[in-house]
Each structure stands twice: as C-alpha cells, then as structure tokens.
Amino acid sequence: FEVRIVPESKLAEEGAVGNCVHVYEGSRENHSHPSFGELALMYSAPRAASIIAQSDGLLWALHRYAFNKVIAEQSSKLEAEKMLKKIDVFKSFSSDSLKELASSLCEAKFSRDDVIINEGDVGDSMYLVLPGGSCKSVRTSKNGSESEVDLKEGGFVGEEVLKGGPENKYQSTVTATNKMTCWTLQKSDAKRVISSLRKEGATNMA
C-alpha cells in the first residue's frame, strides 16, 4: 500500500494524489506485516495521510474502543501486580510470576451487605478490593469476642486459604459495605505458579 499525503491546497483538485512517501508491502512468506494509523489510534488525531490500495488484500483493523480497553486492562494489571506484591505469601515472587498471577485475576461484583466470604467456610479464592470499594471483616476469637476491620482500596481477604493446610477455611466473615468490585485469585492458579517456582528453585514457600 502507498501512503500519499495530499497538500491542503490541492484537496479540492480533481485527481490530486499527493506525494508517495512510503510503500507498505505485506508478505506471508517473509512474515512481513506492516501497520499504519497508530498515531490516530493512540492520540485521537486526524489522519495525517491517505492509504491507497494497489492490489486486492486482507487487513486486520483495531477499533479505538478495543485499543483503549486493552490499554486500560494493562494499566489495571500493573496495579494488580503492585497489590499482590504487598501480600506476604507473594512477596518473594519475581516480576514475571506476579504478572502471571495478575493475568489470572477475575472480577467479582458485590452489592451492599453481600457476604463475600464466611468464617469457617472452606474456600478456594482470595479477594482484592478495587478503587471505590469497601468491606467489613469480622473475626471471632476462641473466647467468643469479635474483632472488626474496615477494608478499602488495596485491601485483601481470604489469603489464608492459599497457604494450604487440611481445612483451608476462611478465618473471618467479610461483608460489602457498599457496591464494590473485587479481583479474585483462585487457589488453583496460585498453586500453579508456586509449583512452577518450586521446580525452578526460585522460592522456598510452604
């Protein structure tokens, strides 16, 4: 494909084709897959050039909405890595391992007064509180007294079930205090990454 820039003064001229400044030529044999239009995609800028097909072909197009969604997700995953790094069970993890964990996170939405986890229930996931969310964690001691902790953005609950043990039970009851969204990490995903690290000898976690 040729990229042709048409001077503004000649836009109305019939047959104005501008100056050829580059030629894009794709080739499956040579694994050549050039692209164009990325500046308009990234900066919402007007098109700076016209692209004219010189032969029949097939293009892949990326819509700005999809592009912005991917960028937002990448930013969110970076924040997720920072949050995971603060959790004791993951502090010895490498950057690559944290990225792998972050890619396993799923969103879970809760309404006000929804119970996220119940003390004594067998669990298989931990939860990380996202911006705007808040919840209340209540733990019952052996003498029957209760201790309460308010959790907001960056807080997490349920990490105890990732550490193993015969019962894997939650040690507190956590209730949403407003409409909120959490990231969830399943125990099976954490164990998969931990197992990989053990094989590499990169961690001595239990």
Side-chain angles (χ1 to χ4, degrees):
F1 296 94
E2 292 181 352
V3 180
R4 295 184 179 275
I5 301 177
V6 180
E8 186 175 358
S9 61
K10 295 184 179 180
L11 283 177
E13 295 181 15
E14 183 176 353
V17 295
N19 299 314
C20 179
V21 296
H22 195 76
V23 175
Y24 294 100
E25 184 177 351
S27 171
R28 289 185 178 179
E29 291 78 10
N30 298 327
H31 303 287
S32 175
H33 306 287
S35 62
F36 48 82
E38 60 274 11
L39 293 180
L41 187 68
M42 294 169 64
Y43 304 112
S44 298
R47 298 293 185 186
S50 298
I51 309 298
I52 303 172
Q54 298 297 294
S55 64
D56 292 343
L58 179 65
L59 299 177
W60 288 99
L62 177 62
H63 193 279
R64 183 178 291 116
Y65 172 80
F67 175 78
N68 289 338
K69 184 177 180 182
V70 170
I71 294 299
E73 288 177 349
Q74 287 182 338
S75 177
S76 295
K77 295 305 182 185
L78 287 175
E79 290 302 314
E81 291 173 37
K82 294 178 182 178
M83 293 172 68
L84 290 167
K85 186 67 175 179
K86 296 177 182 178
I87 302 173
D88 286 343
V89 72
F90 302 131
K91 283 185 175 178
S92 64
F93 277 35
S94 66
S95 177
D96 287 343
S97 296
L98 290 173
K99 287 179 181 178
E100 188 173 354
L101 282 177
S103 68
S104 301
L105 295 173
C106 298
E107 281 193 357
K109 298 182 182 295
F110 300 95
S111 298
R112 182 184 178 90
D113 296 326
D114 281 353
V115 176
I116 301 173
I117 60 176
N118 264 312
E119 183 175 2
D121 284 357
V122 175
D124 62 359
S125 299
M126 71 166 295
Y127 299 81
L128 295 84
V129 182
L130 292 180
S134 63
C135 55
K136 177 177 63 177
S137 175
V138 178
R139 178 176 297 192
T140 305
S141 66
K142 292 181 179 180
N143 62 14
S145 62
E146 293 184 344
S147 59
E148 182 177 313
V149 177
D150 292 322
L151 299 171
K152 297 185 181 297
E153 175 185 350
F156 50 88
V157 295
E159 72 278 9
E160 60 270 21
V161 302
L162 304 182
K163 298 178 181 179
E167 296 180 334
N168 297 313
K169 293 182 178 180
Y170 291 121
Q171 297 176 7
S172 62
T173 295
V174 179
T175 306
T177 54
N178 68 351
K179 188 176 181 180
M180 62 179 292
T181 303
C182 291
W183 273 319
T184 67
L185 176 63
Q186 291 193 340
K187 181 179 180 180
S188 57
D189 291 319
K191 288 181 67 176
R192 171 174 49 80
V193 177
I194 291 172
S195 176
S196 175
L197 287 174
R198 283 175 172 165
K199 290 178 181 179
E200 296 172 1
T203 182
N204 56 5
M205 288 181 49

